[in-house]
Amino acid sequence: AEAPDFIHEWVRAPYPANQADQKRIREGLVWLESQAQSRFETEFSNLEDSQMVAICDDIAWLPEAKPEFRAAAQFFDRVRTLTLGGFYTTQMGRNDLGWVGNVPIAGEYPGPPPEALAHLGLT
């Protein structure tokens, strides 16, 4: 779904935030490899699904990560966010959302639905 290409392009941008993401992602990938070696004595890419899950469970939810996994959880959180951003900016992602933007509306614009106005307290 082109998310790896999006992330690669993102971390190569010359802006401070993007460069910080590049550092975090590189360090996170090194961490994954070191965990695979120390826990299972093999490369991460050679792990069984259950072994990958065992490692990723420790870092999958930043608010609940143990202190020793905090930096790795920040890596995981950032990669998840970038993956979603990459996916939902592709045609496949827009199709998944049912996005129909940039399409002319025939007649007068009907405005937001009553439920949206009520949710915003504008009714």
Side-chain angles (χ1 to χ4, degrees), residues 63-85:
E64 295 177 10
K66 294 178 182 175
E68 63 268 26
F69 298 127
R70 188 120 180 102
Q74 289 170 333
F75 147 76
F76 196 90
D77 185 68
R78 190 64 184 136
V79 169
R80 179 178 32 240
T81 298
L82 289 172
T83 300
L84 289 169

Side-chain angles (χ1 to χ4, degrees), residues 22-23 33 38-39 41 45 47 75 81 109:
Q22 181 184 72
K23 183 178 186 299
E33 279 301 321
S38 66
R39 294 185 195 191
E41 299 178 348
S45 61
L47 293 176
F75 147 76
T81 298
Y109 176 66

Side-chain angles (χ1 to χ4, degrees), residues 12 61 64 81 94 113:
R12 291 192 50 170
W61 185 236
E64 295 177 10
T81 298
R94 290 189 296 273

Side-chain angles (χ1 to χ4, degrees), residues 12-77:
R12 291 192 50 170
Y15 309 108
N18 300 69
Q19 293 300 296
D21 285 341
Q22 181 184 72
K23 183 178 186 299
R24 176 174 288 142
I25 290 170
R26 284 181 176 170
E27 289 172 354
L29 293 172
V30 168
W31 183 87
L32 286 175
E33 279 301 321
S34 70
Q35 290 296 303
Q37 289 293 333
S38 66
R39 294 185 195 191
F40 304 108
E41 299 178 348
T42 189
E43 295 176 359
F44 188 83
S45 61
N46 293 333
L47 293 176
E48 310 251 338
D49 289 348
S50 62
Q51 294 170 321
M52 286 182 183
V53 169
I55 293 172
C56 291
D57 277 350
D58 289 332
I59 62 174
W61 185 236
L62 181 57
E64 295 177 10
K66 294 178 182 175
E68 63 268 26
F69 298 127
R70 188 120 180 102
Q74 289 170 333
F75 147 76
F76 196 90
D77 185 68

